[in-house]
Amino acid sequence: ESPYLSVRICCQKLALDMFSEALLCFGASSTSVDEHDNDADENSDKIYIDSIFPECKDVDECILNAANSIGLKEIPRYEVKMGEQCNWIKKAQESFHPVEVTKGLWIVPEWSTPPDVQATNIILNPGLAFGTCEHATTKLCLLLLRSLIKGGELFLDYGTGSGILGIAAIKFGAAMFVGVDIDPQVIKSAHQNAALNNIGPKKIKLHLVPDRTFTASMNERVDGVVEYLSSHEIRGISETEEYDVVIANILLNPLPQLADHIVSYAKPGAVVGISGILSEQLPRIINRYSEFLEDILVSEMDDWRSVSGTKFSPI
């Protein structure tokens, strides 16, 4: 059992959801907001986020990357303390409750009882991977998937996180799910979550994409992610133009640069969904993806947007 780092971050109220999600993306194991603690000064535009990081994480780098990824003008103030392991598991568990995404679709932590046994229940151990449906980007993708999967589809999840979208796709009737991520911990977590849902290796394939830019600065890191995600190594997953549904729910800025690559996995006529988009980034994303997709639809939840469209068929 290793100790953890308890990090208290002072953040603007407006950026709370976005910043919490970005922290999870860049290495926080959990984030929570103590409402009582924050009620003291209702007039303030600041709020405190309590987050937990594994001891091995470079908290300064994670917070810098998270702030940059959502375009914060200044890095939030924060303080770091050492915590004890037993404590943090309990704390992390307390911060996740069953979530009803939409009628008949629940995300249930593995230590909880499903509130509705007749529903489609996705069992997760939120643990150390991003994508627990606490946030709008994941919910938008789940709703999109539910509308698209009719039965028997091949589904590619680009940036798989906890595996939640792939697990949902199989439960909705997809034949197989292929997930790609740059974090070995995420791949492990997605495998464990698939097992919790009795999804065996024939229905799920997870691929780790090398990311040798771990120690680089944020700007280099984004370019590195683009470079490695679009290198031939990921091509090894399968031939292109194979998938019936492709979703990329990634919270980095490379969505425009990766457009042709993400779309290359979809069959002509297949639907491609892009999530993790802030409202101000929407025009740029639509402009870029309309080179490859038609019938573009935008869904919104809180400050987040998702875009989906059908891949052009060759004339």
Side-chain angles (χ1 to χ4, degrees):
E1 294 196 347
S2 59
Y4 70 92
L5 301 172
S6 174
V7 184
R8 189 144 213 250
I9 307 165
C10 179
C11 147
Q12 289 174 312
K13 280 182 183 168
L14 285 172
L16 173 65
D17 282 352
M18 294 184 295
F19 192 55
S20 296
E21 185 146 2
L23 287 168
L24 291 169
C25 224
F26 284 101
S29 298
S30 76
T31 61
S32 60
V33 174
D34 185 343
E35 298 296 344
H36 306 297
D37 198 37
N38 283 294
D39 283 345
D41 184 2
E42 287 180 5
N43 300 324
S44 168
D45 66 343
K46 297 277 196 284
I47 196 162
Y48 286 97
I49 300 175
D50 291 311
S51 62
I52 287 168
F53 285 82
E55 189 192 15
C56 57
K57 284 284 178 192
D58 180 338
V59 172
D60 297 340
E61 185 190 31
C62 293
I63 290 177
L64 176 68
N65 288 348
N68 284 342
S69 76
I70 63 166
L72 286 186
K73 304 276 188 292
E74 53 189 63
I75 307 301
R77 292 194 324 270
Y78 55 94
E79 57 177 348
V80 182
K81 290 181 183 159
M82 206 56 149
E84 288 162 31
Q85 178 76 4
C86 53
N87 224 345
W88 107 249
I89 292 176
K90 183 167 172 286
K91 241 178 144 164
Q93 290 192 356
E94 283 167 0
S95 70
F96 294 112
H97 308 283
V99 176
E100 187 173 26
V101 180
T102 183
K103 191 164 174 49
L105 176 60
W106 284 83
I107 309 300
V108 184
E110 98 176 277
W111 50 83
S112 299
T113 306
D116 176 2
V117 290
Q118 301 301 314
T120 299
N121 289 300
I122 298 171
I123 313 300
L124 285 190
N125 182 339
L128 295 169
F130 166 65
T132 55
C133 201
E134 292 287 306
H135 292 286
T137 57
T138 309
K139 288 182 183 171
L140 286 167
C141 290
L142 285 166
L143 294 172
L144 177 62
L145 260 183
R146 192 156 91 155
S147 69
L148 292 175
I149 301 289
K150 305 289 185 245
E153 290 87 353
L154 270 180
F155 168 56
L156 178 73
D157 184 9
Y158 199 96
T160 199
S162 61
I164 184 170
L165 297 183
I167 293 163
I170 298 294
K171 293 204 170 193
F172 296 153
M176 194 175 147
F177 140 56
V178 173
V180 180
D181 213 291
I182 56 174
D183 183 344
Q185 180 66 53
V186 158
I187 298 290
K188 186 176 160 197
S189 174
H191 267 299
Q192 288 168 344
N193 284 326
L196 286 177
N197 290 274
N198 301 316
I199 294 172
K202 288 189 175 145
K203 294 209 160 194
I204 169 175
K205 297 274 184 286
L206 295 167
H207 295 270
L208 181 67
V209 182
D211 174 25
R212 285 165 246 163
T213 53
F214 189 69
T215 52
S217 73
M218 179 60 190
N219 292 338
E220 289 168 335
R221 183 180 165 83
V222 169
D223 292 341
V225 171
V226 174
E227 180 189 328
Y228 285 114
L229 279 176
S230 47
S231 73
H232 64 280
E233 284 142 334
I234 196 172
R235 297 273 173 201
I237 298 167
S238 84
E239 294 309 308
T240 51
E241 301 211 345
E242 184 177 30
Y243 294 91
D244 303 294
V245 177
V246 174
I247 289 187
N249 181 24
I250 50 180
L251 197 83
L252 287 168
N253 294 327
L255 278 172
Q257 297 100 299
L258 286 172
D260 55 347
H261 183 63
I262 290 169
V263 174
S264 74
Y265 287 100
K267 288 177 178 171
V271 174
V272 178
I274 307 296
S275 195
I277 305 162
L278 293 170
S279 45
E280 61 267 24
Q281 297 166 337
L282 189 62
R284 184 177 171 213
I285 294 289
I286 290 179
N287 188 31
R288 179 76 176 104
Y289 279 83
S290 39
E291 294 175 36
F292 309 100
L293 306 176
E294 57 190 339
D295 302 328
I296 287 183
L297 297 171
V298 177
S299 301
E300 54 186 70
M301 195 178 285
D302 305 332
D303 288 330
W304 297 93
R305 305 289 180 268
S306 72
V307 168
S308 62
T310 307
K311 181 171 174 175
F312 288 126
S313 298
I315 297 163

PDB file of all heavy atoms in Angstrom, residues 26 158 182 209-213 218-231 250 252 254 258:
ATOM      1  N   PHE A  26      -5.219  14.142 -16.557  1.00  0.00           N
ATOM      2  CA  PHE A  26      -3.767  14.284 -16.470  1.00  0.00           C
ATOM      3  C   PHE A  26      -3.167  13.657 -15.218  1.00  0.00           C
ATOM      4  O   PHE A  26      -2.043  13.952 -14.870  1.00  0.00           O
ATOM      5  CB  PHE A  26      -3.369  15.755 -16.574  1.00  0.00           C
ATOM      6  CG  PHE A  26      -3.444  16.272 -17.974  1.00  0.00           C
ATOM      7  CD1 PHE A  26      -4.526  17.038 -18.397  1.00  0.00           C
ATOM      8  CD2 PHE A  26      -2.462  15.951 -18.896  1.00  0.00           C
ATOM      9  CE1 PHE A  26      -4.609  17.500 -19.703  1.00  0.00           C
ATOM     10  CE2 PHE A  26      -2.539  16.400 -20.204  1.00  0.00           C
ATOM     11  CZ  PHE A  26      -3.614  17.170 -20.601  1.00  0.00           C
ATOM     12  N   TYR A 158     -11.482   5.781 -29.237  1.00  0.00           N
ATOM     13  CA  TYR A 158     -10.181   6.424 -29.409  1.00  0.00           C
ATOM     14  C   TYR A 158      -9.889   7.242 -28.151  1.00  0.00           C
ATOM     15  O   TYR A 158     -10.413   8.337 -27.983  1.00  0.00           O
ATOM     16  CB  TYR A 158     -10.304   7.315 -30.639  1.00  0.00           C
ATOM     17  CG  TYR A 158      -9.007   7.734 -31.275  1.00  0.00           C
ATOM     18  CD1 TYR A 158      -8.481   7.031 -32.350  1.00  0.00           C
ATOM     19  CD2 TYR A 158      -8.326   8.850 -30.828  1.00  0.00           C
ATOM     20  CE1 TYR A 158      -7.307   7.428 -32.956  1.00  0.00           C
ATOM     21  CE2 TYR A 158      -7.149   9.258 -31.423  1.00  0.00           C
ATOM     22  CZ  TYR A 158      -6.640   8.538 -32.489  1.00  0.00           C
ATOM     23  OH  TYR A 158      -5.482   8.930 -33.083  1.00  0.00           O
ATOM     24  N   ILE A 182      -3.024   5.948 -24.361  1.00  0.00           N
ATOM     25  CA  ILE A 182      -1.574   6.132 -24.223  1.00  0.00           C
ATOM     26  C   ILE A 182      -1.096   5.806 -22.813  1.00  0.00           C
ATOM     27  O   ILE A 182       0.081   5.910 -22.525  1.00  0.00           O
ATOM     28  CB  ILE A 182      -1.149   7.585 -24.574  1.00  0.00           C
ATOM     29  CG1 ILE A 182      -1.910   8.588 -23.715  1.00  0.00           C
ATOM     30  CG2 ILE A 182      -1.313   7.857 -26.047  1.00  0.00           C
ATOM     31  CD1 ILE A 182      -1.452  10.029 -23.887  1.00  0.00           C
ATOM     32  N   VAL A 209      -0.815   2.753 -26.975  1.00  0.00           N
ATOM     33  CA  VAL A 209      -0.061   3.476 -28.004  1.00  0.00           C
ATOM     34  C   VAL A 209       1.123   4.141 -27.309  1.00  0.00           C
ATOM     35  O   VAL A 209       0.950   4.788 -26.284  1.00  0.00           O
ATOM     36  CB  VAL A 209      -0.954   4.560 -28.635  1.00  0.00           C
ATOM     37  CG1 VAL A 209      -0.192   5.275 -29.726  1.00  0.00           C
ATOM     38  CG2 VAL A 209      -2.207   3.930 -29.196  1.00  0.00           C
ATOM     39  N   PRO A 210       2.338   3.995 -27.824  1.00  0.00           N
ATOM     40  CA  PRO A 210       3.492   4.592 -27.140  1.00  0.00           C
ATOM     41  C   PRO A 210       3.356   6.106 -27.035  1.00  0.00           C
ATOM     42  O   PRO A 210       2.903   6.760 -27.958  1.00  0.00           O
ATOM     43  CB  PRO A 210       4.672   4.237 -28.051  1.00  0.00           C
ATOM     44  CG  PRO A 210       4.185   3.132 -28.920  1.00  0.00           C
ATOM     45  CD  PRO A 210       2.707   3.306 -29.053  1.00  0.00           C
ATOM     46  N   ASP A 211       3.724   6.621 -25.862  1.00  0.00           N
ATOM     47  CA  ASP A 211       3.771   8.072 -25.675  1.00  0.00           C
ATOM     48  C   ASP A 211       5.102   8.383 -25.004  1.00  0.00           C
ATOM     49  O   ASP A 211       5.201   8.398 -23.796  1.00  0.00           O
ATOM     50  CB  ASP A 211       2.601   8.535 -24.796  1.00  0.00           C
ATOM     51  CG  ASP A 211       2.711  10.012 -24.453  1.00  0.00           C
ATOM     52  OD1 ASP A 211       3.365  10.732 -25.231  1.00  0.00           O
ATOM     53  OD2 ASP A 211       2.178  10.439 -23.424  1.00  0.00           O
ATOM     54  N   ARG A 212       6.110   8.612 -25.830  1.00  0.00           N
ATOM     55  CA  ARG A 212       7.450   8.816 -25.268  1.00  0.00           C
ATOM     56  C   ARG A 212       7.656  10.273 -24.866  1.00  0.00           C
ATOM     57  O   ARG A 212       8.750  10.694 -24.572  1.00  0.00           O
ATOM     58  CB  ARG A 212       8.501   8.408 -26.305  1.00  0.00           C
ATOM     59  CG  ARG A 212       8.596   6.899 -26.411  1.00  0.00           C
ATOM     60  CD  ARG A 212       9.330   6.470 -27.660  1.00  0.00           C
ATOM     61  NE  ARG A 212       8.427   5.771 -28.570  1.00  0.00           N
ATOM     62  CZ  ARG A 212       8.680   5.573 -29.846  1.00  0.00           C
ATOM     63  NH1 ARG A 212       9.785   6.034 -30.372  1.00  0.00           N
ATOM     64  NH2 ARG A 212       7.826   4.925 -30.602  1.00  0.00           N
ATOM     65  N   THR A 213       6.612  11.052 -24.896  1.00  0.00           N
ATOM     66  CA  THR A 213       6.757  12.493 -24.648  1.00  0.00           C
ATOM     67  C   THR A 213       6.378  12.833 -23.219  1.00  0.00           C
ATOM     68  O   THR A 213       6.100  13.964 -22.898  1.00  0.00           O
ATOM     69  CB  THR A 213       5.830  13.251 -25.602  1.00  0.00           C
ATOM     70  OG1 THR A 213       4.520  12.714 -25.451  1.00  0.00           O
ATOM     71  CG2 THR A 213       6.268  13.066 -27.021  1.00  0.00           C
ATOM     72  N   MET A 218       4.244  20.877 -22.010  1.00  0.00           N
ATOM     73  CA  MET A 218       2.876  20.698 -22.499  1.00  0.00           C
ATOM     74  C   MET A 218       2.787  20.821 -24.016  1.00  0.00           C
ATOM     75  O   MET A 218       2.165  19.998 -24.670  1.00  0.00           O
ATOM     76  CB  MET A 218       1.982  21.757 -21.838  1.00  0.00           C
ATOM     77  CG  MET A 218       0.547  21.705 -22.266  1.00  0.00           C
ATOM     78  SD  MET A 218      -0.203  20.112 -21.874  1.00  0.00           S
ATOM     79  CE  MET A 218      -1.721  20.262 -22.761  1.00  0.00           C
ATOM     80  N   ASN A 219       3.428  21.849 -24.582  1.00  0.00           N
ATOM     81  CA  ASN A 219       3.288  22.054 -26.024  1.00  0.00           C
ATOM     82  C   ASN A 219       3.866  20.879 -26.796  1.00  0.00           C
ATOM     83  O   ASN A 219       3.266  20.370 -27.727  1.00  0.00           O
ATOM     84  CB  ASN A 219       4.015  23.329 -26.469  1.00  0.00           C
ATOM     85  CG  ASN A 219       3.305  24.539 -25.914  1.00  0.00           C
ATOM     86  OD1 ASN A 219       2.126  24.464 -25.589  1.00  0.00           O
ATOM     87  ND2 ASN A 219       4.017  25.641 -25.779  1.00  0.00           N
ATOM     88  N   GLU A 220       5.040  20.448 -26.338  1.00  0.00           N
ATOM     89  CA  GLU A 220       5.648  19.296 -27.002  1.00  0.00           C
ATOM     90  C   GLU A 220       4.794  18.060 -26.786  1.00  0.00           C
ATOM     91  O   GLU A 220       4.645  17.235 -27.648  1.00  0.00           O
ATOM     92  CB  GLU A 220       7.046  19.038 -26.436  1.00  0.00           C
ATOM     93  CG  GLU A 220       8.046  20.095 -26.862  1.00  0.00           C
ATOM     94  CD  GLU A 220       9.335  19.980 -26.070  1.00  0.00           C
ATOM     95  OE1 GLU A 220       9.305  19.456 -24.950  1.00  0.00           O
ATOM     96  OE2 GLU A 220      10.358  20.429 -26.574  1.00  0.00           O
ATOM     97  N   ARG A 221       4.209  17.967 -25.589  1.00  0.00           N
ATOM     98  CA  ARG A 221       3.414  16.783 -25.260  1.00  0.00           C
ATOM     99  C   ARG A 221       2.222  16.657 -26.210  1.00  0.00           C
ATOM    100  O   ARG A 221       1.947  15.600 -26.737  1.00  0.00           O
ATOM    101  CB  ARG A 221       2.926  16.854 -23.820  1.00  0.00           C
ATOM    102  CG  ARG A 221       2.164  15.623 -23.419  1.00  0.00           C
ATOM    103  CD  ARG A 221       1.684  15.704 -21.982  1.00  0.00           C
ATOM    104  NE  ARG A 221       0.676  14.682 -21.784  1.00  0.00           N
ATOM    105  CZ  ARG A 221       0.921  13.425 -21.519  1.00  0.00           C
ATOM    106  NH1 ARG A 221       2.155  13.005 -21.434  1.00  0.00           N
ATOM    107  NH2 ARG A 221      -0.052  12.556 -21.347  1.00  0.00           N
ATOM    108  N   VAL A 222       1.528  17.758 -26.433  1.00  0.00           N
ATOM    109  CA  VAL A 222       0.378  17.696 -27.330  1.00  0.00           C
ATOM    110  C   VAL A 222       0.818  17.254 -28.722  1.00  0.00           C
ATOM    111  O   VAL A 222       0.236  16.357 -29.317  1.00  0.00           O
ATOM    112  CB  VAL A 222      -0.350  19.064 -27.397  1.00  0.00           C
ATOM    113  CG1 VAL A 222      -1.368  19.063 -28.516  1.00  0.00           C
ATOM    114  CG2 VAL A 222      -1.043  19.348 -26.079  1.00  0.00           C
ATOM    115  N   ASP A 223       1.905  17.852 -29.215  1.00  0.00           N
ATOM    116  CA  ASP A 223       2.392  17.462 -30.540  1.00  0.00           C
ATOM    117  C   ASP A 223       2.834  16.004 -30.538  1.00  0.00           C
ATOM    118  O   ASP A 223       2.622  15.280 -31.497  1.00  0.00           O
ATOM    119  CB  ASP A 223       3.571  18.347 -30.964  1.00  0.00           C
ATOM    120  CG  ASP A 223       3.096  19.769 -31.212  1.00  0.00           C
ATOM    121  OD1 ASP A 223       1.884  19.937 -31.398  1.00  0.00           O
ATOM    122  OD2 ASP A 223       3.922  20.683 -31.195  1.00  0.00           O
ATOM    123  N   GLY A 224       3.458  15.586 -29.419  1.00  0.00           N
ATOM    124  CA  GLY A 224       3.913  14.206 -29.328  1.00  0.00           C
ATOM    125  C   GLY A 224       2.760  13.231 -29.358  1.00  0.00           C
ATOM    126  O   GLY A 224       2.820  12.192 -29.994  1.00  0.00           O
ATOM    127  N   VAL A 225       1.696  13.587 -28.653  1.00  0.00           N
ATOM    128  CA  VAL A 225       0.510  12.722 -28.645  1.00  0.00           C
ATOM    129  C   VAL A 225      -0.029  12.595 -30.061  1.00  0.00           C
ATOM    130  O   VAL A 225      -0.359  11.518 -30.533  1.00  0.00           O
ATOM    131  CB  VAL A 225      -0.572  13.279 -27.692  1.00  0.00           C
ATOM    132  CG1 VAL A 225      -1.863  12.503 -27.872  1.00  0.00           C
ATOM    133  CG2 VAL A 225      -0.114  13.184 -26.250  1.00  0.00           C
ATOM    134  N   VAL A 226      -0.080  13.731 -30.756  1.00  0.00           N
ATOM    135  CA  VAL A 226      -0.556  13.705 -32.146  1.00  0.00           C
ATOM    136  C   VAL A 226       0.346  12.804 -32.971  1.00  0.00           C
ATOM    137  O   VAL A 226      -0.102  11.923 -33.684  1.00  0.00           O
ATOM    138  CB  VAL A 226      -0.536  15.123 -32.763  1.00  0.00           C
ATOM    139  CG1 VAL A 226      -0.886  15.040 -34.238  1.00  0.00           C
ATOM    140  CG2 VAL A 226      -1.521  16.029 -32.051  1.00  0.00           C
ATOM    141  N   GLU A 227       1.648  13.006 -32.792  1.00  0.00           N
ATOM    142  CA  GLU A 227       2.607  12.258 -33.604  1.00  0.00           C
ATOM    143  C   GLU A 227       2.468  10.755 -33.355  1.00  0.00           C
ATOM    144  O   GLU A 227       2.418   9.957 -34.277  1.00  0.00           O
ATOM    145  CB  GLU A 227       4.012  12.720 -33.220  1.00  0.00           C
ATOM    146  CG  GLU A 227       5.110  12.023 -33.989  1.00  0.00           C
ATOM    147  CD  GLU A 227       6.468  12.371 -33.403  1.00  0.00           C
ATOM    148  OE1 GLU A 227       6.633  13.503 -32.892  1.00  0.00           O
ATOM    149  OE2 GLU A 227       7.326  11.496 -33.429  1.00  0.00           O
ATOM    150  N   TYR A 228       2.376  10.361 -32.078  1.00  0.00           N
ATOM    151  CA  TYR A 228       2.359   8.929 -31.789  1.00  0.00           C
ATOM    152  C   TYR A 228       1.006   8.304 -32.051  1.00  0.00           C
ATOM    153  O   TYR A 228       0.918   7.170 -32.478  1.00  0.00           O
ATOM    154  CB  TYR A 228       2.845   8.654 -30.363  1.00  0.00           C
ATOM    155  CG  TYR A 228       4.331   8.830 -30.311  1.00  0.00           C
ATOM    156  CD1 TYR A 228       4.917   9.833 -29.575  1.00  0.00           C
ATOM    157  CD2 TYR A 228       5.149   8.008 -31.089  1.00  0.00           C
ATOM    158  CE1 TYR A 228       6.285  10.020 -29.593  1.00  0.00           C
ATOM    159  CE2 TYR A 228       6.517   8.185 -31.109  1.00  0.00           C
ATOM    160  CZ  TYR A 228       7.080   9.187 -30.357  1.00  0.00           C
ATOM    161  OH  TYR A 228       8.428   9.368 -30.391  1.00  0.00           O
ATOM    162  N   LEU A 229      -0.051   9.054 -31.795  1.00  0.00           N
ATOM    163  CA  LEU A 229      -1.373   8.486 -32.088  1.00  0.00           C
ATOM    164  C   LEU A 229      -1.547   8.295 -33.581  1.00  0.00           C
ATOM    165  O   LEU A 229      -2.288   7.439 -34.013  1.00  0.00           O
ATOM    166  CB  LEU A 229      -2.493   9.390 -31.559  1.00  0.00           C
ATOM    167  CG  LEU A 229      -2.797   9.257 -30.066  1.00  0.00           C
ATOM    168  CD1 LEU A 229      -3.853  10.261 -29.668  1.00  0.00           C
ATOM    169  CD2 LEU A 229      -3.276   7.867 -29.714  1.00  0.00           C
ATOM    170  N   SER A 230      -0.871   9.135 -34.362  1.00  0.00           N
ATOM    171  CA  SER A 230      -1.085   9.003 -35.797  1.00  0.00           C
ATOM    172  C   SER A 230       0.075   8.267 -36.480  1.00  0.00           C
ATOM    173  O   SER A 230       0.207   8.265 -37.670  1.00  0.00           O
ATOM    174  CB  SER A 230      -1.290  10.376 -36.438  1.00  0.00           C
ATOM    175  OG  SER A 230      -0.317  11.275 -36.006  1.00  0.00           O
ATOM    176  N   SER A 231       0.927   7.630 -35.671  1.00  0.00           N
ATOM    177  CA  SER A 231       2.036   6.890 -36.273  1.00  0.00           C
ATOM    178  C   SER A 231       1.557   5.505 -36.713  1.00  0.00           C
ATOM    179  O   SER A 231       0.465   5.088 -36.413  1.00  0.00           O
ATOM    180  CB  SER A 231       3.159   6.735 -35.262  1.00  0.00           C
ATOM    181  OG  SER A 231       2.787   5.786 -34.292  1.00  0.00           O
ATOM    182  N   ILE A 250     -11.507  12.645 -26.130  1.00  0.00           N
ATOM    183  CA  ILE A 250     -10.203  12.965 -25.547  1.00  0.00           C
ATOM    184  C   ILE A 250     -10.170  14.446 -25.217  1.00  0.00           C
ATOM    185  O   ILE A 250     -10.735  15.256 -25.922  1.00  0.00           O
ATOM    186  CB  ILE A 250      -9.035  12.580 -26.489  1.00  0.00           C
ATOM    187  CG1 ILE A 250      -9.242  13.108 -27.907  1.00  0.00           C
ATOM    188  CG2 ILE A 250      -8.859  11.079 -26.516  1.00  0.00           C
ATOM    189  CD1 ILE A 250      -8.127  12.751 -28.878  1.00  0.00           C
ATOM    190  N   LEU A 252      -7.613  16.520 -24.998  1.00  0.00           N
ATOM    191  CA  LEU A 252      -6.448  17.300 -25.396  1.00  0.00           C
ATOM    192  C   LEU A 252      -6.859  18.188 -26.552  1.00  0.00           C
ATOM    193  O   LEU A 252      -7.933  18.033 -27.125  1.00  0.00           O
ATOM    194  CB  LEU A 252      -5.326  16.354 -25.813  1.00  0.00           C
ATOM    195  CG  LEU A 252      -4.659  15.629 -24.648  1.00  0.00           C
ATOM    196  CD1 LEU A 252      -3.780  14.517 -25.167  1.00  0.00           C
ATOM    197  CD2 LEU A 252      -3.836  16.566 -23.809  1.00  0.00           C
ATOM    198  N   PRO A 254      -5.569  18.108 -29.548  1.00  0.00           N
ATOM    199  CA  PRO A 254      -5.235  17.661 -30.896  1.00  0.00           C
ATOM    200  C   PRO A 254      -6.399  17.188 -31.748  1.00  0.00           C
ATOM    201  O   PRO A 254      -6.176  16.652 -32.818  1.00  0.00           O
ATOM    202  CB  PRO A 254      -4.265  16.512 -30.673  1.00  0.00           C
ATOM    203  CG  PRO A 254      -4.642  15.953 -29.375  1.00  0.00           C
ATOM    204  CD  PRO A 254      -5.097  17.123 -28.551  1.00  0.00           C
ATOM    205  N   LEU A 258      -5.847  15.565 -35.471  1.00  0.00           N
ATOM    206  CA  LEU A 258      -6.046  14.119 -35.604  1.00  0.00           C
ATOM    207  C   LEU A 258      -7.243  13.762 -36.479  1.00  0.00           C
ATOM    208  O   LEU A 258      -7.537  12.586 -36.663  1.00  0.00           O
ATOM    209  CB  LEU A 258      -6.263  13.502 -34.217  1.00  0.00           C
ATOM    210  CG  LEU A 258      -5.025  13.377 -33.332  1.00  0.00           C
ATOM    211  CD1 LEU A 258      -5.424  12.948 -31.932  1.00  0.00           C
ATOM    212  CD2 LEU A 258      -4.028  12.392 -33.899  1.00  0.00           C
TER     213      LEU A 258
END
